[in-house]
Amino acid sequence: MSKVFTLLILRVLISLLLIVWISLWIIKPTTLWIQSWRQAEDTIKHTFFGYYGLNFAVFSFPPIALSTIGLIYLSLLPQYQRPASRGGKRENVTVSRPAIINSFIGIVSCFEIIAVLLFLLFLAWTFYARVSNDLKKLMPVKTMNLELWQLKYFRVATRFGLLAEACLSLLLFPVLRGLSMFRLLNIQFAASVKYHVWLGTALIFFSFVHGGSTLFIWTITHHIEEERTGRVYIAGVISLGTGLLMWITSLPQIRRKKFEVFYYTHHLYILFLVSFLFHAGDRHFYWILPGVFLFGLDKTLRIVQSRSESRLLSARLLSCKAIELVLPKDPWLHYTPSSFVFVNIPMISQFQWHPFSITSSSSVDKHTLSIMMKCEGKWTNSVYNKVEEAAKKIENMTIRVEGPYGPTSDDFIRYDTLFLVAGGIGITPFLSILQELAACKNRPKSLKRVQLVFAVRTFQEMNMLIPIYSVLFNPIHNLSLKVKVFVTQEKKHSNGPTTLQEFLAQSQVQSVHLGTDEDYSRFSILGPESFRRLATLVLVTLVAFLSLLIGLSHIFIPSEHKKHSQSMKLAAPGAIKTAKEKVPSWVPDLVIIVSYAVAITIGGLAATILQWRRQKQHREAPKEEVNPMERNFTEVIPVEEHQIHFGERPKFEEILSEFEKNLRGWSTIGVLVCGPESMKEAVASMCRHKSQCFGVEESGRSNMKMNLKFHSLNFNL
């Protein structure tokens, strides 16, 4: 009962922090807030905290606190969560169903449409409030010699910079991994990356209008505003240039064909953020600091984890040019199905990291973790060849692993029925899900049926089902599993095998064994830190940053105030005040950079100590006896007559209609799809056709027995 009450309190705190943070952004452009904020800064600038402490506390602290409390909340969250309404009753409103299906922007849900519209409404409000206030108090600057229309255009263009700032403040949150706040909504990293793409595109658009218009004014007037010369404008040009370069190289046409170009160019974000700080000044930077702070710490924690080396224990080389790698893991490391890891193999590339979904289940394989990759590119083909070479020479193969990352709970088991659709290597997350279902003793009784639709191009690609051979052909307690395999580019051979069991039994698989019993203890994958330790690391880094920020500001910034005070005796007070407001000092900017770098370093050292202690405890812990790596597939009890269709593509609506006939009463169906984009769009279209955006039935569909919940699993980052 106390745990439930604690979760309720944390949920209320999270909601309040979110409301406060959003409210600050909404009231920020108003005249009342601007006047009140200036008074607050004047009042507190002579205190211990100073204006820098006030800016951080009001603008930066709420989202960082939201992340910290969210991590504590996730640590207390039960593994299995059930929907609020059950018993076959229909849910009234659903906003997660596909609403827009487009090859350019992808599959967009109703929830995402609502979020985008609200964000656009906020941007429109910010722009209107700022511009209308500027035009009311429009006073030409004599030194610039601008005409009235030029001055209006210049002020409007300047306010586009605030829109870019709003996008930048949210830009880094979707690409957080260990510290991601999207986990509170059970949105995985692979799904949230598209929000980063959307925000990045909007950021570049607003920045281009802002910077391009400023350059246009300079061109037609042949004059630069004297009060803002030097480093400020130069920093803005550098920031715009690096942003454009990162955006261009991240376009799908370049990212997919020249991934290394995209990957290395994207590291210019450091130059981009530093240039933005010197361009906009410290007061504006406090708004985007939360994302930068959490991203820097998240990146540091990932580097600390990825420094640990693991070794390949064994591998399966499949005839379809796919390979399954088996790695040692800590038996206490648990992950949910559909989780994924980032893998680096130093002998192929020291810097390239590639994501792969986990095919094993931590409930089944206590000591090992498996991934599968289809060898179609340069890097994956190199992995295949290196494993073959290692098998011949019987030598160790070092691998670095970051993760696992995945949903915070086994969300998929909350449904009455699962409808799984996979294309090619997209089968990998479902291998983990099916193994978990077969081994899960606490599986809800409501989950009765699972339908797997697997589309492949050739017979040999069916080999990717080998890891779940025993699951397919042995009974699963209280669960009916039906598989439909579609071989799209080959027809049935007259003298060949006819059933799925015969195909898999005759598949050519080369097993490679490289690891030893010692590798289980020395090279086990420990995984990321627990949610509680992550929250502690955030707090430690936050306290270090705030202490350094206030301490260094007291040491260096007062000297700047003295210079301003001496200058004020020699000039008109109004002119000096205006100049001070428009020209942010480089000293506060440098203080932020130094405080940030030292604080992140302290967080990284703390994470290193925690990891060293975990490794020491793991090595000193009593070792359990490890079962042989190979699974036994010899004793087979046929359960279902799984179907194979030759020379045709799956017709999802027909399959679903046939599936519906066997349902008893109303059923909530989780539709999970992983594969080519065309397949995802086809399944999404089916789900949209079957049900409306807000749970309202289409005319003539009142007799439907299905409530479809669409989920797209994507690991092509």
Side-chain angles (χ1 to χ4, degrees):
M1 191 67 182
S2 59
K3 187 176 181 179
V4 175
F5 181 73
T6 304
L7 286 171
L8 178 62
I9 295 298
L10 292 176
R11 195 179 294 118
V12 171
L13 283 174
I14 291 171
S15 301
L16 289 175
L17 283 170
L18 187 60
I19 292 172
V20 168
W21 191 38
I22 294 175
S23 301
L24 286 173
W25 277 99
I26 293 175
I27 65 176
K28 177 188 174 185
T30 61
T31 304
L32 178 63
W33 170 262
I34 295 173
Q35 294 175 350
S36 302
W37 183 249
R38 287 177 178 173
Q39 293 176 0
E41 278 193 330
D42 291 336
T43 302
I44 205 170
K45 68 181 180 180
H46 300 296
T47 65
F48 173 76
F49 292 99
Y51 82 89
Y52 28 83
L54 178 65
N55 276 267
F56 180 85
V58 175
F59 302 140
S60 303
F61 180 74
I64 298 176
L66 179 63
S67 176
T68 307
I69 297 174
L71 290 170
I72 299 173
Y73 176 82
L74 291 174
S75 69
L76 299 174
L77 207 61
Q79 182 180 9
Y80 300 106
Q81 295 192 69
R82 307 290 296 161
S85 60
R86 265 306 184 193
K89 295 182 180 180
R90 173 182 311 214
E91 299 173 10
N92 294 325
V93 177
T94 302
V95 295
S96 61
R97 293 168 182 160
I100 298 177
I101 303 170
N102 184 275
S103 58
F104 180 71
I105 62 174
I107 302 169
V108 183
S109 68
C110 302
F111 173 80
E112 291 168 339
I113 290 178
I114 294 173
V116 170
L117 290 177
L118 289 175
F119 184 65
L120 291 176
L121 183 62
F122 158 73
L123 293 179
W125 153 248
T126 300
F127 187 74
Y128 168 77
R130 290 291 193 181
V131 170
S132 60
N133 189 44
D134 287 345
L135 296 181
K136 288 178 183 177
K137 302 185 299 181
L138 194 63
M139 296 183 65
V141 181
K142 296 180 179 180
T143 56
M144 292 188 68
N145 298 321
L146 294 178
E147 298 181 11
L148 183 60
W149 74 268
Q150 294 172 344
L151 184 59
K152 289 182 178 179
Y153 177 71
F154 181 74
R155 295 304 181 198
V156 169
T158 301
R159 294 310 179 186
F160 269 94
L162 294 178
L163 305 185
E165 178 184 312
C167 295
L168 182 57
S169 67
L170 301 176
L171 181 67
L172 297 175
F173 288 114
V175 290
L176 297 177
R177 298 179 190 173
L179 304 179
S180 175
M181 289 188 287
F182 284 91
R183 289 187 177 189
L184 294 171
L185 302 175
N186 210 23
I187 299 176
Q188 295 192 48
F189 168 76
S192 65
V193 167
K194 67 179 178 181
Y195 308 141
H196 175 76
V197 175
W198 294 352
L199 288 167
T201 302
L203 166 65
I204 294 302
F205 171 75
F206 294 135
S207 299
F208 187 78
V209 174
H210 169 69
S213 300
T214 303
L215 293 173
F216 172 72
I217 292 296
W218 292 354
T219 303
I220 62 176
T221 60
H222 305 287
H223 190 81
I224 300 176
E225 188 178 358
E226 291 181 0
E227 287 83 1
R228 292 180 61 89
T229 56
R231 63 171 181 84
V232 175
Y233 277 137
I234 294 174
V237 172
I238 294 174
S239 182
L240 178 60
T242 52
L244 281 171
L245 183 59
M246 286 190 292
W247 180 77
I248 292 172
T249 54
S250 66
L251 294 174
Q253 297 82 352
I254 299 177
R255 187 182 73 249
R256 293 171 184 171
K257 295 180 180 180
K258 300 289 184 181
F259 182 81
E260 290 82 2
V261 175
F262 154 75
Y263 178 77
Y264 294 120
T265 305
H266 237 59
H267 283 78
L268 289 173
Y269 69 83
I270 299 174
L271 178 60
F272 173 81
L273 291 173
V274 171
S275 300
F276 174 84
L277 171 59
F278 281 101
H279 173 63
D282 60 314
R283 284 178 170 85
H284 286 272
F285 195 77
Y286 282 113
W287 287 95
I288 72 164
L289 181 59
V292 177
F293 178 86
L294 292 174
F295 178 79
L297 181 58
D298 186 77
K299 181 76 172 178
T300 303
L301 297 179
R302 286 156 43 196
I303 292 173
V304 170
Q305 185 201 356
S306 61
R307 288 179 60 195
S308 299
E309 294 183 345
S310 182
R311 281 188 179 177
L312 180 64
L313 294 176
S314 66
R316 284 182 181 153
L317 304 175
L318 306 180
S319 57
C320 62
K321 202 61 177 179
I323 182 171
E324 182 186 27
L325 305 180
V326 181
L327 308 171
K329 81 170 184 68
D330 186 344
W332 296 103
L333 173 59
H334 295 281
Y335 49 85
T336 50
S338 74
S339 296
F340 67 100
V341 294
F342 285 84
V343 174
N344 167 263
I345 301 180
M347 67 173 58
I348 297 176
S349 173
Q350 288 285 345
F351 304 105
Q352 288 191 47
W353 290 81
H354 295 267
F356 297 99
S357 54
I358 300 175
T359 58
S360 57
S361 166
S362 57
S363 300
V364 178
D365 301 310
K366 300 290 186 180
H367 300 273
T368 60
L369 179 149
S370 304
I371 61 173
M372 182 182 290
M373 61 184 73
K374 190 71 181 298
C375 303
E376 295 178 333
K378 180 180 178 181
W379 190 88
T380 49
N381 277 319
S382 298
V383 175
Y384 195 96
N385 296 332
K386 290 294 183 182
V387 171
E388 285 187 321
E389 293 176 8
K392 295 176 182 178
K393 299 178 182 179
I394 314 179
E395 63 180 7
N396 295 321
M397 189 168 177
T398 301
I399 295 179
R400 295 192 182 105
V401 176
E402 180 200 324
Y405 302 111
T408 54
S409 62
D410 294 333
D411 196 53
F412 65 93
I413 67 173
R414 76 172 190 247
Y415 299 113
D416 303 323
T417 307
L418 286 176
F419 190 80
L420 312 178
V421 181
I425 195 60
I427 190 65
T428 49
F430 301 135
L431 300 180
S432 177
I433 288 175
L434 292 175
Q435 290 184 77
E436 183 73 16
L437 289 175
C440 185
K441 298 179 180 179
N442 299 324
R443 187 180 71 245
K445 296 181 180 179
S446 58
L447 181 56
K448 298 289 188 182
R449 299 176 59 82
V450 177
Q451 171 75 68
L452 172 62
V453 180
F454 184 33
V456 295
R457 292 175 294 180
T458 64
F459 294 123
Q460 291 183 337
E461 290 184 356
M462 285 192 288
N463 294 353
M464 289 184 282
L465 292 174
I466 286 179
I468 56 169
Y469 190 99
S470 59
V471 175
L472 295 176
F473 303 108
N474 282 277
I476 303 176
H477 178 67
N478 201 31
L479 183 68
S480 173
L481 172 63
K482 186 72 174 180
V483 179
K484 290 180 180 288
V485 179
F486 290 82
V487 183
T488 60
Q489 296 183 7
E490 291 185 1
K491 295 184 179 180
K492 182 179 179 181
H493 297 161
S494 57
N495 298 327
T498 58
T499 66
L500 180 60
Q501 183 178 343
E502 293 175 352
F503 272 107
L504 297 182
Q506 298 179 15
S507 298
Q508 297 179 359
V509 179
Q510 179 185 354
S511 296
V512 177
H513 298 274
L514 299 173
T516 62
D517 291 341
E518 187 182 0
D519 292 337
Y520 286 93
S521 59
R522 292 187 57 195
F523 300 101
S524 291
I525 299 169
L526 301 180
E529 296 289 348
S530 65
F531 288 126
R532 292 185 182 182
R533 288 190 173 185
L534 288 175
T536 303
L537 289 171
V538 173
L539 287 174
V540 169
T541 310
L542 178 62
V543 171
F545 175 77
L546 191 56
S547 302
L548 288 165
L549 179 67
I550 295 176
L552 293 176
S553 297
H554 275 290
I555 295 173
F556 294 104
I557 292 182
S559 61
E560 292 295 306
H561 291 320
K562 291 178 182 179
K563 292 180 181 179
H564 283 297
S565 300
Q566 294 173 359
S567 301
M568 289 176 67
K569 297 178 182 179
L570 304 175
I576 293 297
K577 185 177 180 181
T578 303
K580 184 180 176 182
E581 290 177 354
K582 287 188 175 182
V583 184
S585 170
W586 60 269
V587 174
D589 303 342
L590 194 59
V591 165
I592 289 178
I593 293 175
V594 173
S595 302
Y596 175 81
V598 175
I600 294 298
T601 302
I602 292 173
L605 291 174
T608 303
I609 294 172
L610 288 177
Q611 187 185 54
W612 175 78
R613 291 184 60 185
R614 289 174 66 198
Q615 291 174 342
K616 183 179 179 181
Q617 292 172 359
H618 173 75
R619 291 170 182 170
E620 294 176 352
K623 299 299 179 289
E624 301 178 14
E625 185 177 348
V626 181
N627 295 325
M629 293 300 302
E630 290 187 354
R631 303 183 181 96
N632 185 9
F633 298 137
T634 56
E635 297 182 4
V636 176
I637 305 175
V639 180
E640 292 274 2
E641 186 62 35
H642 303 303
Q643 300 177 5
I644 302 179
H645 301 266
F646 302 92
E648 60 177 294
R649 298 181 181 275
K651 299 177 181 178
F652 299 113
E653 292 203 15
E654 293 182 5
I655 299 173
L656 192 62
S657 298
E658 179 185 347
F659 191 58
E660 182 184 9
K661 294 177 183 178
N662 299 321
L663 298 178
R664 297 178 181 178
W666 178 262
S667 180
T668 302
I669 300 179
V671 181
L672 284 68
V673 57
C674 185
E677 292 300 320
S678 57
M679 173 180 285
K680 293 179 182 178
E681 293 171 6
V683 176
S685 298
M686 177 192 67
C687 293
R688 184 179 62 178
H689 178 66
K690 293 287 184 181
S691 52
Q692 288 297 304
C693 190
F694 294 96
V696 181
E697 294 179 352
E698 293 183 4
S699 58
R701 295 190 177 274
S702 58
N703 59 344
M704 284 180 59
K705 298 188 293 183
M706 300 181 298
N707 183 18
L708 304 180
K709 303 288 186 177
F710 177 81
H711 300 273
S712 174
L713 304 181
N714 178 29
F715 300 99
N716 183 23
L717 305 180

